[in-house]
Amino acid sequence: MVIQVETETIKRWNPEAHIGLSKEQVKKRIEQGKVNKDETVPTKTIKQIVLGNVFTLFNILNLGLAASILLVGSYKNLLFMGGVICNTLISIIQEIRTKKMIDKLSLLATSKAKVIREGKKIEIEIDDIVLDDVIAFKVGEQVTVDSILLEGTCEVNEAFITGEETPIIKKKGDMILSGSFLVSGHVLAKAEHIGLENYTAQISREARYTKKVTSVLMQSLNTIIKWVSILVVPLGIILFTKQMYLGNGIADAVVGTVAAVIGMIPEGLVLLTSTVLAVGIIKLSKYKVLVQELYCIETLARIDTLCLDKTGTLTEGKMEVFTTIPVQKEKEEIEVILNTFTKYTEDENATMKAIKEKYQKDSIFSVKEVIPFKSEKKYSGIVTEQGDTYLLGAPEFLLDREDALFENIHTYSKDYRVLVLIKVEKEASLAKREVYGFVLLQDIIRKQAEQTIAYFKEQGVEVKVISGDSPITVSSIAKRVGIDKAEEYIDMSRVKDEEIEQVAGMYTVFGRVTPAQKKALIMALKNQKHTVAMTGDGVNDVLALKEADCSIAMASGSDAARNVSQIVLLESNFDAMPNVVLEGRQTINNIERSATLFLTKTMYASMLAILFLFINRPYPFEPIQLTLTSVVAIGIPSFVLALETNRKRIEGNFFSNVFSKAFPFAFVLVVDIVLIMILSSLLHCTKVETSTLCVIMNAIVSFLLLYRVCSPFNLIKKILYVSMIFLFIVQVIGFGELFSLADFQFKLLFIILLTSMITFMILGKLIPFTQNKLEKKYK
């Protein structure tokens, strides 16, 4: 990749390695804007949150309706605005609370840098590094900005950038790239690029396209909002005109039209959805999971394919000694030499760290010379005071290829990293050697990796491993954690671009994968109609993470991977994944259940509004009456149900599930209203009595729907259901005049009983019919 650097002419400084920049020079760089600032804002500002929640389409529409009510002086019918205001305030408070939580968690992912300024080593934020700063790097630290080595030699691992773990030697004058990390050596380096000029920033910028959110929930809600928005204004205008044509006064026409329009607006559903998702994000924060996109927890709950990177996901990125295998010496003698290695060597690569962890006893030998590990030799060594030279490293470099031992080595290497320990007279004469034995090392599997893989297997999710490492090594690790078909692996370095679509579905383990191939594999799986999640931690994973339907990064990985991912596991705890899935399930199932309540009202209100264009009768509801039934049968129950624990598997299509439950009740209520209109006309009921009958019937149908949505009942649902019915009865009896309800008479009771019987008959036939039809359509 060609790094694009700004063309603006900036005077470059070459500070001495142990002195660094002066205060004046740092100040000058800050004035020039040459600071390693991250310009991306993780969350909206509070002002953006407030404006975004206040100036919504539905709020503007409701404000217009409230102004109409004010103009005609029907002040009690402004009660619906109380719900609108509460919805807006709750949404603002919840979003601000979530913002603070995300901002707080985001700070956990930040790290520090050590720089030399005015001859002193100081620790600063990475964002405070300026161009030409002298930075100190040591073993195990990640390179924060592209830098030129001023002093020292080191080996860097560029696995986060290329996926290849083989260390690369860097000397004075060489460039070390951001995203790589030191596996040996201590160096001082000058910041060559900062901010967006860094190599990793270039890759991240390449990945920063606008990705279409694959949320079934969001798509369904957007479809509903779109059609309501299209219908509501023209329908309201035509209905108002019709009411005036019937000879109703302007006040009655406005009140009736407003009632019809507010019934069609599912504003509480939008609030409910965002609130439930926000609560899910806050709950996941307890597991140290940072959710950077609202709808991704839903997407993760729907995945059928999970693609994992080996390092950092299945393994800890560390190694351990599995065992030693004697050849010409006993096991105890091998361990004595290994204890000597750990005492005297300064190597800090992954292999030597594992040996040091295992062998920590005092050495019985004195060492006069240490041979440091170098990538081109692939071994390290020690020379004892007695003049014996011991070398420990890769068999390919210390043994002859024709050696009979290579047959054993080939067998061991399928599951382990193999080192050989030999004794020679001196380093230059490898031909005269005594083979002490082999040291077998293996990657350390994350503690809960096996259980987490088993969980996804139980959920019917296919797990694939995509790694830059050797396919044989990756396959071995996949077997250890219990991934199905782990023996089905392929070396992607031998695969042509046009073959990727085919191999994506054929194999489970993919080794030697380039960053471009990772992205291509994700695209191929999506083209095969899979919903794909991808986990990764390196710069080489960035493009694939952006392409996946849901992307998960480890906080211990690169900044680039964290920045482009929708979910960040802050403690790099892969075992937190099931919690995210379960939270996603609860979110979808509960929103689906509560959406049924809201959409029933939208459906019957829309059907009634259209119907009353052709019926020469006033619209039967007032806004305040709809507020009454909405609060007790929709508003309060929906929020209680939305926060209930519900971790069932997601079944069926969201829209079909909601529609199959909502439509029968919406349809039967419309039939009931028409029947009431006919019967009230025959029995000479007044307008207030007709309106009262409609309110009571609306409540009966709504409570029948609530009963179905609450099933099966537990104690909380029983209390909720009974208390809502009780609250409705108290409101009707105690505040009948406020809600424009008539006193109950025998003829009203007769109409209610007759209509209720018809309701039960229609629902008994319509519910199973609708459910079966839609299940066949979306199966």
Side-chain angles (χ1 to χ4, degrees):
M1 173 178 287
V2 177
I3 298 175
Q4 302 295 322
V5 184
E6 292 183 15
T7 56
E8 178 188 355
T9 303
I10 295 288
K11 181 183 177 182
R12 301 299 299 269
W13 293 316
N14 295 301
E16 292 184 31
H18 291 279
I19 296 178
L21 298 179
S22 65
K23 288 182 180 179
E24 291 74 20
Q25 288 174 319
V26 172
K27 184 179 178 182
K28 179 71 173 175
R29 284 289 189 247
I30 294 172
E31 290 172 355
Q32 293 170 336
K34 291 299 176 183
V35 186
N36 193 50
K37 286 290 182 186
D38 181 4
E39 301 296 336
T40 58
V41 180
T43 55
K44 295 180 187 175
T45 64
I46 291 178
K47 181 181 177 181
Q48 288 172 327
I49 290 171
V50 172
L51 293 177
N53 282 283
V54 170
F55 295 102
T56 65
L57 173 65
F58 289 152
N59 277 358
I60 293 169
L61 194 55
N62 280 316
L63 199 60
L65 297 175
S68 302
I69 293 289
L70 273 172
L71 290 173
V72 298
S74 183
Y75 303 119
K76 69 177 183 180
N77 280 303
L78 286 170
L79 187 61
F80 76 93
M81 281 301 293
V84 174
I85 293 168
C86 287
N87 283 348
T88 304
L89 287 174
I90 292 170
S91 187
I92 290 171
I93 292 167
Q94 192 66 61
E95 196 169 345
I96 290 174
R97 184 184 173 201
T98 307
K99 166 195 162 56
K100 289 181 177 179
M101 179 64 70
I102 291 174
D103 288 349
K104 182 179 178 181
L105 290 178
S106 296
L107 292 175
L108 297 178
T110 60
S111 50
K112 305 281 187 179
K114 292 183 177 68
V115 299
I116 310 295
R117 289 180 180 174
E118 296 193 326
K120 297 178 182 177
K121 183 185 288 187
I122 60 173
E123 191 173 70
I124 63 172
E125 300 289 338
I126 290 174
D127 286 357
D128 293 333
I129 295 173
V130 300
L131 189 65
D132 297 326
D133 245 331
V134 175
I135 309 169
F137 296 111
K138 64 180 182 180
V139 174
E141 289 185 345
Q142 190 168 18
V143 178
T144 48
V145 295
D146 297 343
S147 305
I148 300 291
L149 288 192
L150 299 178
E151 183 178 290
T153 302
C154 66
E155 288 186 306
V156 297
N157 184 315
E158 295 185 347
F160 283 159
I161 302 171
T162 64
E164 177 57 60
E165 294 193 5
T166 303
I168 300 169
I169 296 175
K170 298 288 184 178
K171 301 175 182 177
K172 183 178 179 180
D174 289 344
M175 171 88 79
I176 50 175
L177 298 174
S178 56
S180 60
F181 63 93
L182 273 67
V183 293
S184 70
H186 303 260
V187 297
L188 296 177
K190 185 183 75 168
E192 184 66 14
H193 301 130
I194 44 89
L196 295 177
E197 299 171 11
N198 280 308
Y199 182 82
T200 51
Q202 296 288 323
I203 297 178
S204 298
R205 186 190 295 177
E206 186 179 322
R208 283 176 190 163
Y209 56 87
T210 302
K211 182 170 76 173
K212 184 180 179 182
V213 179
T214 53
S215 165
V216 175
L217 180 60
M218 188 173 79
Q219 289 167 359
S220 299
L221 292 176
N222 285 343
T223 300
I224 293 163
I225 292 168
K226 171 186 167 184
W227 284 108
V228 170
S229 303
I230 291 170
L231 287 173
V232 72
V233 175
L235 206 55
I237 293 170
I238 297 169
L239 188 61
F240 174 76
T241 306
K242 176 65 185 298
Q243 296 291 304
M244 291 294 292
Y245 173 77
L246 290 174
N248 295 325
I250 190 169
D252 289 339
V254 167
V255 169
T257 303
V258 169
V261 171
I262 65 169
M264 294 168 63
I265 300 173
E267 76 277 357
L269 178 59
V270 179
L271 163 70
L272 177 79
T273 304
S274 58
T275 299
V276 172
L277 288 168
V279 169
I281 290 171
I282 291 171
K283 286 167 69 177
L284 285 173
S285 69
K286 296 175 183 177
Y287 299 103
K288 293 294 185 277
V289 175
L290 171 61
V291 180
Q292 303 193 120
E293 186 187 275
L294 201 60
Y295 285 90
C296 66
I297 57 176
E298 175 220 345
T299 308
L300 185 59
R302 294 184 184 276
I303 64 164
D304 57 41
T305 305
L306 175 62
C307 296
L308 306 174
D309 180 44
K310 174 186 74 70
T311 309
T313 303
L314 297 176
T315 66
E316 294 182 4
K318 301 175 183 177
M319 304 201 77
E320 62 182 354
V321 175
F322 176 70
T323 190
T324 55
I325 299 178
V327 176
Q328 292 178 281
K329 295 291 182 180
E330 295 298 321
K331 203 177 186 80
E332 292 75 16
E333 292 181 77
I334 295 172
E335 292 178 355
V336 167
I337 304 302
L338 292 176
N339 279 313
T340 307
F341 264 89
T342 60
K343 179 176 180 180
Y344 290 99
T345 185
E346 294 184 359
D347 292 335
E348 289 292 335
N349 52 52
T351 302
M352 191 52 69
K353 280 183 178 180
I355 293 172
K356 286 182 177 181
E357 186 70 27
K358 178 77 172 179
Y359 302 103
Q360 299 180 351
K361 293 180 181 179
D362 285 336
S363 171
I364 61 174
F365 293 110
S366 295
V367 171
K368 65 179 181 180
E369 182 186 351
V370 174
I371 303 168
F373 177 87
K374 290 185 179 179
S375 294
E376 65 265 26
K377 296 187 302 183
K378 297 291 183 184
Y379 65 79
S380 58
I382 52 173
V383 181
T384 65
E385 292 287 354
Q386 291 78 19
D388 296 323
T389 300
Y390 296 92
L391 302 177
L392 177 67
E396 300 92 321
F397 287 77
L398 295 176
L399 301 178
D400 294 329
R401 287 283 182 178
E402 294 78 20
D403 198 312
L405 290 172
F406 260 95
E407 187 174 336
N408 293 334
I409 292 168
H410 179 70
T411 303
Y412 300 144
S413 63
K414 290 180 180 178
D415 297 309
Y416 307 100
R417 181 178 292 184
V418 182
L419 300 179
V420 63
L421 176 64
I422 65 172
K423 178 182 176 182
V424 294
E425 290 183 4
K426 53 185 177 179
E427 186 184 353
S429 58
L430 296 180
K432 297 179 180 180
R433 59 179 172 265
E434 186 177 7
V435 181
Y436 272 47
F438 299 116
V439 181
L440 305 187
L441 300 100
Q442 63 183 3
D443 287 279
I444 299 176
I445 302 295
R446 289 192 176 275
K447 290 180 181 178
Q448 303 299 324
E450 194 170 346
Q451 293 93 317
T452 305
I453 294 297
Y455 170 80
F456 281 107
K457 192 189 300 182
E458 289 169 9
Q459 306 308 311
V461 176
E462 184 179 9
V463 179
K464 294 179 181 287
V465 186
I466 303 175
S467 175
D469 278 355
S470 159
I472 297 174
T473 304
V474 181
S475 175
S476 171
I477 290 168
K479 288 177 189 174
R480 287 172 60 194
V481 297
I483 293 176
D484 285 342
K485 302 177 181 177
E487 67 282 357
E488 296 180 3
Y489 61 83
I490 186 170
D491 186 338
M492 290 297 290
S493 64
R494 301 177 182 178
V495 175
K496 298 176 182 177
D497 290 347
E498 58 269 21
E499 297 173 335
I500 291 178
E501 189 82 25
Q502 181 182 357
V503 302
M506 292 174 58
Y507 295 93
T508 299
V509 174
F510 303 84
R512 303 294 182 201
V513 189
T514 66
Q517 285 179 325
K518 286 191 178 186
K519 177 182 176 181
L521 283 168
I522 299 296
M523 290 177 69
L525 291 168
K526 288 171 67 178
N527 291 339
Q528 294 167 15
K529 306 303 179 185
H530 292 290
T531 303
V532 185
M534 168 79 186
T535 69
D537 60 355
V539 175
N540 61 312
D541 298 319
V542 166
L543 297 179
L545 288 168
K546 285 296 291 182
E547 186 61 39
D549 294 307
C550 184
S551 50
I552 305 106
M554 304 292 167
S556 58
S558 67
D559 291 336
R562 291 198 301 266
N563 290 341
V564 301
S565 293
Q566 296 160 317
I567 295 174
V568 180
L569 305 180
L570 292 173
E571 293 184 344
S572 300
N573 49 340
F574 183 52
D575 55 300
M577 292 279 284
N579 293 314
V580 183
V581 173
L582 293 174
E583 197 58 50
R585 285 183 181 174
Q586 177 167 317
T587 297
I588 298 167
N589 288 327
N590 286 347
I591 290 176
E592 184 179 290
R593 191 165 53 178
S594 298
T596 303
L597 301 175
F598 284 100
L599 293 183
T600 302
K601 178 172 78 89
T602 298
M603 284 182 189
Y604 80 68
S606 300
M607 286 188 279
L608 283 178
I610 294 170
L611 198 60
F612 271 83
L613 295 177
F614 307 99
I615 297 176
N616 291 327
R617 295 289 298 272
Y619 193 78
F621 294 108
E622 291 186 14
I624 195 170
Q625 294 169 339
L626 288 176
T627 301
L628 168 63
T629 51
S630 293
V631 168
V632 297
I634 301 175
I636 297 173
S638 66
F639 273 90
V640 173
L641 294 173
L643 300 176
E644 184 191 24
T645 300
N646 184 345
R647 294 182 167 181
K648 295 189 303 179
R649 282 196 189 187
I650 299 167
E651 297 177 354
N653 177 278
F654 177 83
F655 187 79
S656 66
N657 289 345
V658 172
F659 190 86
S660 65
K661 293 173 185 174
F663 179 75
F665 291 88
F667 179 79
V668 80
L669 183 55
V670 173
V671 172
D672 289 341
I673 299 298
V674 172
L675 187 59
I676 287 171
M677 289 294 160
I678 295 169
L679 292 174
S680 62
S681 180
L682 292 173
L683 297 175
H684 306 291
C685 295
T686 65
K687 179 187 174 184
V688 175
E689 288 174 336
T690 303
S691 186
T692 301
L693 287 169
C694 291
V695 171
I696 300 299
M697 207 62 233
N698 185 7
I700 290 172
V701 173
S702 296
F703 282 122
L704 285 174
L705 173 61
L706 183 59
Y707 182 89
R708 189 183 181 209
V709 168
C710 287
S711 299
F713 278 85
N714 55 26
L715 181 60
I716 293 174
K717 290 180 191 174
K718 288 176 182 177
I719 294 171
L720 172 69
Y721 192 73
V722 172
S723 61
M724 290 301 99
I725 293 175
F726 176 75
L727 181 59
F728 176 76
I729 293 170
V730 168
Q731 298 278 14
V732 169
I733 295 173
F735 303 94
E737 187 176 345
L738 173 65
F739 292 105
S740 303
L741 301 177
D743 295 331
F744 232 73
Q745 299 176 29
F746 177 76
K747 64 179 180 181
L748 301 186
L749 182 60
F750 168 76
I751 294 173
I752 289 295
L753 289 174
L754 180 60
T755 312
S756 297
M757 288 173 59
I758 294 171
T759 296
F760 282 104
M761 289 172 59
I762 296 174
L763 287 177
K765 298 288 186 182
L766 194 56
I767 289 174
F769 175 79
T770 308
Q771 197 159 347
N772 290 336
K773 282 286 185 183
L774 284 165
E775 281 179 357
K776 287 178 182 178
K777 181 179 178 181
Y778 289 99
K779 195 169 183 179

